[in-house]
Amino acid sequence: MIKVGVLGLQGAVREHVRSIEACDAEAVVIKRKEQLEEVDGLILPGGESTTMRRLIDKYDFMDSLKEFAQSGKPMFGTCAGLILLSNNIIGYDEPHIGVMDVQVERNSFGRQRESFEADLDIAGVAGDFAAVFIRAPHIVEAGENVEILAKHNDRIVAAREGRFLGCSFHPELTDDHRLTAYFIEMIKEYKQS
Amino acid sequence: MKTGTDRVKRGMAEMQKGGVIMDVVNAEQAKIAEEAGAVAVMALERVPSDIRAAGGVARMADPRIVEEVMGAVSIPVMAKARIGHIVEARLLEAMGVDYIDESEVLTPADEEYHLNKRDYTVPFVCGCRDLGEAARRIGEGASMLRTKGEPGTGNIVEAVRHIRKVNAQVRKVVGMNEDELMTEAKLLGAPYELLLEIRSLGRLPVVNFAAGGVATPADAALMMELGADGVFVGSGIFKSENPAKFARAIVEATTHYQDYKLIAELSKELGTPMKGIEIASLAPEARMQERGW
């Protein structure tokens, strides 16, 4: 059975676990870096990216996460997770994990009162995906190897670069598990290759 | 495109899970909190222990303080409005505050009715001591709950009582037959439909944080152990000797609440925590948890 890790330092961990299990895969909540060895792919959940970064630094997680990315195992970042994956964050000198060739802007749709739900057409996933955006970032620029999967009002909100998948919204907050299933397919492809 | 839906409002609280929300009274404290890894800050004029000491009527903070805090950090900013004070809540919403706490820490503006929180785009958090109170607040549109505890005391006993009570009552509802639920709704003073929802979900439909008396990293971990989704720390941090260190220790103890060696390590030489108050020494009218209906 495919084992998918969910970085469990802070945020919507339980919801991702539920979504992974709904896709008939096994979920592992990752609280210590040693646990990364157990899993075939990793989800970086929504939450507060600054908080997650503090906790990542505190426990020398960062090198392990970078190694995990270099090993070729797929990674999927939602909202704060997308910010962790991005190699360029507007207003910040340094990226976090920095493995996905996208420039992101934090809180780019505004504060909480501007948070919204919208239906999205996600290439290769769904034509009618109900997406929940919460103080969401968006992808301002994507590198040439990045496949743009979805836009909302001309802003890129989902993209894939090889084994890295990122989105601005929170698929884990709905009962639509198609994007998680898409990520699990990416893991299966990786395991077969 | 829809704003202010239940999913968007409750989802915001889901993103805060496993985190610590800290009371701050100015931009400098807000930055210390963010730096320490807080998932949000609560902008206030005075922390609860100072409100307690000052006496008189406690109101919404000066909007200038809220604005200053919003300008200082990129994490979400919450602020408190008085129970039932429609205009304080509307002002905070208009200012773009990310979450409003309809809070018993402030002097209630209405001794009969809470805000109709469904009416707002901004989400609300409310205090609760038991499932009836929790369900009434959700019924009014609260998107997040917290235990009331006894704010500004540095004494965890009331928060422990409240989280245990709510969770025991949730377990009871989950185990009940459907034909027993209406009477349970009557006894609890809870909306029947909400009990049906809790029974089918197996838990509350919104996030429930601990608040009111968290004074040490071990207190924060205790609340997580008892099933809180995260922790509010009011007076505990900036009334301690070394706030930055204290704040970091509370964040880590909340994340790794079952790593006891780590929490022991974090708790070393933290300096003096805030001075606590024995609950029995508080006159009934001085107990903030009694506010709310």
Side-chain angles (χ1 to χ4, degrees), chain A residues 20 25 28 33 50 59 67 71 97 104-105 111 125 128 134 138 155-156 175:
Chain A
I20 291 164
V28 181
K33 58 184 177 183
T50 40
Y59 300 104
E67 275 166 31
S71 74
I97 305 171
V104 297
E105 184 175 8
R111 302 195 72 96
V125 179
D128 55 346
I134 295 171
H138 88 282
R155 291 175 169 196
I156 305 169
D175 292 325

Short mmCIF file of all heavy atoms in Angstrom, two decimals, chain A residues 20 25 28 33 50 59 67 71 97 104-105 111 125 128 134 138 155-156 175:
data_model
loop_
_atom_site.label_atom_id
_atom_site.label_comp_id
_atom_site.label_asym_id
_atom_site.label_seq_id
_atom_site.Cartn_x
_atom_site.Cartn_y
_atom_site.Cartn_z
N ILE A 20 -6.33 11.21 2.42
CA ILE A 20 -5.43 10.14 1.96
C ILE A 20 -6.12 8.79 2.17
O ILE A 20 -6.13 7.93 1.29
CB ILE A 20 -4.09 10.19 2.73
CG1 ILE A 20 -3.30 11.43 2.34
CG2 ILE A 20 -3.27 8.93 2.50
CD1 ILE A 20 -2.17 11.78 3.30
N ALA A 25 -5.07 4.91 0.58
CA ALA A 25 -3.63 4.87 0.86
C ALA A 25 -3.46 5.00 2.37
O ALA A 25 -4.41 5.33 3.09
CB ALA A 25 -2.92 6.00 0.14
N VAL A 28 0.66 8.77 7.25
CA VAL A 28 1.56 8.80 8.41
C VAL A 28 1.77 10.26 8.79
O VAL A 28 2.20 11.07 7.96
CB VAL A 28 2.94 8.16 8.06
CG1 VAL A 28 3.84 8.17 9.28
CG2 VAL A 28 2.77 6.75 7.51
N LYS A 33 11.94 14.01 11.95
CA LYS A 33 12.53 13.86 10.62
C LYS A 33 12.83 12.40 10.26
O LYS A 33 12.77 12.03 9.10
CB LYS A 33 13.80 14.71 10.51
CG LYS A 33 14.86 14.40 11.53
CD LYS A 33 16.03 15.35 11.40
CE LYS A 33 17.05 15.05 12.48
NZ LYS A 33 18.17 15.98 12.48
N THR A 50 4.82 30.73 8.58
CA THR A 50 5.89 31.23 9.46
C THR A 50 6.06 30.31 10.67
O THR A 50 7.18 30.03 11.10
CB THR A 50 5.59 32.67 9.96
OG1 THR A 50 4.20 32.77 10.25
CG2 THR A 50 5.95 33.70 8.93
N TYR A 59 14.00 21.76 14.74
CA TYR A 59 14.35 20.34 14.85
C TYR A 59 15.17 19.82 13.68
O TYR A 59 15.09 18.66 13.32
CB TYR A 59 13.08 19.51 15.05
CG TYR A 59 12.38 19.94 16.30
CD1 TYR A 59 11.24 20.72 16.26
CD2 TYR A 59 12.94 19.66 17.55
CE1 TYR A 59 10.64 21.18 17.42
CE2 TYR A 59 12.35 20.11 18.71
CZ TYR A 59 11.21 20.87 18.63
OH TYR A 59 10.63 21.32 19.77
N GLU A 67 16.52 16.81 1.37
CA GLU A 67 16.98 15.50 0.90
C GLU A 67 15.81 14.69 0.35
O GLU A 67 15.92 14.01 -0.66
CB GLU A 67 17.60 14.70 2.07
CG GLU A 67 19.06 15.03 2.30
CD GLU A 67 19.53 14.49 3.65
OE1 GLU A 67 19.00 13.45 4.10
OE2 GLU A 67 20.41 15.14 4.26
N SER A 71 15.50 13.20 -3.36
CA SER A 71 15.41 11.75 -3.57
C SER A 71 14.44 11.43 -4.69
O SER A 71 14.40 10.32 -5.19
CB SER A 71 14.96 11.06 -2.28
OG SER A 71 13.58 11.29 -2.08
N ILE A 97 11.88 25.47 1.65
CA ILE A 97 12.49 24.27 1.06
C ILE A 97 13.02 24.64 -0.33
O ILE A 97 14.10 24.21 -0.73
CB ILE A 97 11.47 23.10 0.99
CG1 ILE A 97 10.90 22.83 2.39
CG2 ILE A 97 12.12 21.83 0.45
CD1 ILE A 97 9.74 21.85 2.44
N VAL A 104 5.91 32.97 -5.41
CA VAL A 104 4.59 33.10 -4.76
C VAL A 104 4.50 34.39 -3.95
O VAL A 104 5.50 34.94 -3.49
CB VAL A 104 4.27 31.91 -3.81
CG1 VAL A 104 4.19 30.60 -4.57
CG2 VAL A 104 5.28 31.81 -2.69
N GLU A 105 3.28 34.85 -3.82
CA GLU A 105 3.01 36.00 -2.96
C GLU A 105 2.10 35.53 -1.85
O GLU A 105 1.05 34.93 -2.11
CB GLU A 105 2.35 37.13 -3.76
CG GLU A 105 2.15 38.37 -2.92
CD GLU A 105 1.61 39.55 -3.71
OE1 GLU A 105 1.24 39.38 -4.89
OE2 GLU A 105 1.53 40.64 -3.11
N ARG A 111 -7.06 39.77 3.44
CA ARG A 111 -7.18 39.23 4.79
C ARG A 111 -8.32 38.21 4.85
O ARG A 111 -8.95 37.92 3.83
CB ARG A 111 -7.42 40.37 5.80
CG ARG A 111 -6.30 41.43 5.79
CD ARG A 111 -6.38 42.32 7.01
NE ARG A 111 -5.97 41.63 8.21
CZ ARG A 111 -4.74 41.68 8.74
NH1 ARG A 111 -3.80 42.39 8.18
NH2 ARG A 111 -4.46 41.01 9.83
N VAL A 125 -7.51 16.94 -13.56
CA VAL A 125 -8.05 16.54 -12.25
C VAL A 125 -9.58 16.62 -12.22
O VAL A 125 -10.26 15.63 -11.97
CB VAL A 125 -7.47 17.39 -11.10
CG1 VAL A 125 -8.06 16.99 -9.75
CG2 VAL A 125 -5.95 17.26 -11.06
N ASP A 128 -14.75 20.84 -12.20
CA ASP A 128 -15.70 21.51 -11.31
C ASP A 128 -15.27 21.33 -9.86
O ASP A 128 -15.99 20.78 -9.05
CB ASP A 128 -17.08 20.89 -11.49
CG ASP A 128 -17.04 19.38 -11.30
OD1 ASP A 128 -15.93 18.79 -11.28
OD2 ASP A 128 -18.11 18.77 -11.15
N ILE A 134 -8.14 30.38 1.79
CA ILE A 134 -8.11 31.05 3.10
C ILE A 134 -6.82 31.83 3.24
O ILE A 134 -5.74 31.23 3.30
CB ILE A 134 -8.27 30.00 4.22
CG1 ILE A 134 -9.67 29.38 4.11
CG2 ILE A 134 -8.08 30.65 5.59
CD1 ILE A 134 -9.88 28.21 5.00
N HIS A 138 -0.78 33.14 -4.05
CA HIS A 138 -0.93 32.68 -5.43
C HIS A 138 0.43 32.66 -6.11
O HIS A 138 1.40 33.25 -5.60
CB HIS A 138 -1.98 33.49 -6.19
CG HIS A 138 -1.45 34.72 -6.86
ND1 HIS A 138 -1.18 35.88 -6.17
CD2 HIS A 138 -1.16 34.97 -8.16
CE1 HIS A 138 -0.75 36.79 -7.03
NE2 HIS A 138 -0.71 36.27 -8.23
N ARG A 155 -5.11 34.38 -11.97
CA ARG A 155 -3.98 34.09 -11.08
C ARG A 155 -3.76 32.58 -11.03
O ARG A 155 -4.74 31.82 -10.90
CB ARG A 155 -4.27 34.60 -9.67
CG ARG A 155 -4.28 36.10 -9.61
CD ARG A 155 -4.68 36.54 -8.24
NE ARG A 155 -4.44 37.97 -8.08
CZ ARG A 155 -4.41 38.58 -6.92
NH1 ARG A 155 -4.60 37.91 -5.81
NH2 ARG A 155 -4.19 39.86 -6.86
N ILE A 156 -2.51 32.16 -11.06
CA ILE A 156 -2.21 30.74 -11.03
C ILE A 156 -2.42 30.23 -9.60
O ILE A 156 -1.84 30.77 -8.65
CB ILE A 156 -0.75 30.45 -11.44
CG1 ILE A 156 -0.47 31.06 -12.82
CG2 ILE A 156 -0.48 28.94 -11.43
CD1 ILE A 156 1.01 31.06 -13.18
N ASP A 175 -14.98 17.33 0.76
CA ASP A 175 -15.04 15.87 0.59
C ASP A 175 -14.65 15.45 -0.82
O ASP A 175 -14.85 14.31 -1.21
CB ASP A 175 -16.46 15.37 0.91
CG ASP A 175 -16.77 15.53 2.38
OD1 ASP A 175 -15.84 15.36 3.20
OD2 ASP A 175 -17.92 15.85 2.72
#
